[in-house]
Amino acid sequence: MTRRIVVVTAGLTVPSSTRLLADQLAEATQAQATARGEALAVDFVELREVAAELAAFMVTGGVPTPRLTELRELVASADGLVAVTPVFNGGYSGLFKMFFDALDKDSLTGTPVLVAATAGSARHSLVLDHAMRPLFAYLRAVVVPTGVFAATEDFGSHGLSERISRAAAELAALVLSQDGYGVGGFVPDLAARPRRTSGTQVEADVTPFGELLRGHAGDNAP
């Protein structure tokens, strides 16, 4: 069975250090899965390509375009997620936050997530623990122990390569955990996790609006 991860990257330029880090994380995670005899497919989501659609989603009260609907379903059905953002003003980018605000609140429940960030200075490394982990904890995702931060001078260094390999191993282990793999002896039962939803489908058991209004006279009388 081929598992699938989605890599969400919020880089704004081409080329982008954020996309470069995302590529390295995806490649390392695939390599870890291959080493375990498993196949792992990767889908990339470049947020700059849907920036205008995300802005429209926010100002129209949450009406998604067909492309956003497709991306929401893609994320909700993934076996794992890699989330990479550049750092602006000490936190994740507004574009990054807009995308995760546009997801259904249950779309990442129990999903293994690897968080990563890029910045021009190592002074911003706390963004992983002070901003990104709380965001995905709120979304009830399972964030892997190792986050990956890369300042400009880190690219090409042995230390960054080690962090990428360690984080990728942790993510691959969680994604493949239904086959008996786990991180630090912990093997979550992903099959038993709460139901995930993309927010794009109407529930079959929705109560008809007419029934909800049955007996209501249309005034404000008690």
Side-chain angles (χ1 to χ4, degrees), residues 77-120:
S77 63
D79 296 300
L81 181 76
V82 177
V84 193
T85 180
V87 176
F88 292 107
N89 294 327
Y92 40 63
S93 72
L95 184 60
F96 183 86
K97 182 62 162 59
M98 286 172 67
F99 179 72
F100 288 99
D101 282 346
L103 298 181
D104 185 82
K105 62 182 178 61
D106 296 320
S107 63
L108 289 176
T109 300
T111 304
V113 176
L114 190 167
V115 296
T118 60

Side-chain angles (χ1 to χ4, degrees), residues 36-54:
R36 292 167 166 81
E38 298 284 348
L40 187 67
V42 178
D43 291 306
F44 282 89
V45 177
E46 284 275 9
L47 296 186
R48 62 181 178 80
E49 296 177 354
V50 291
E53 295 176 74
L54 287 170

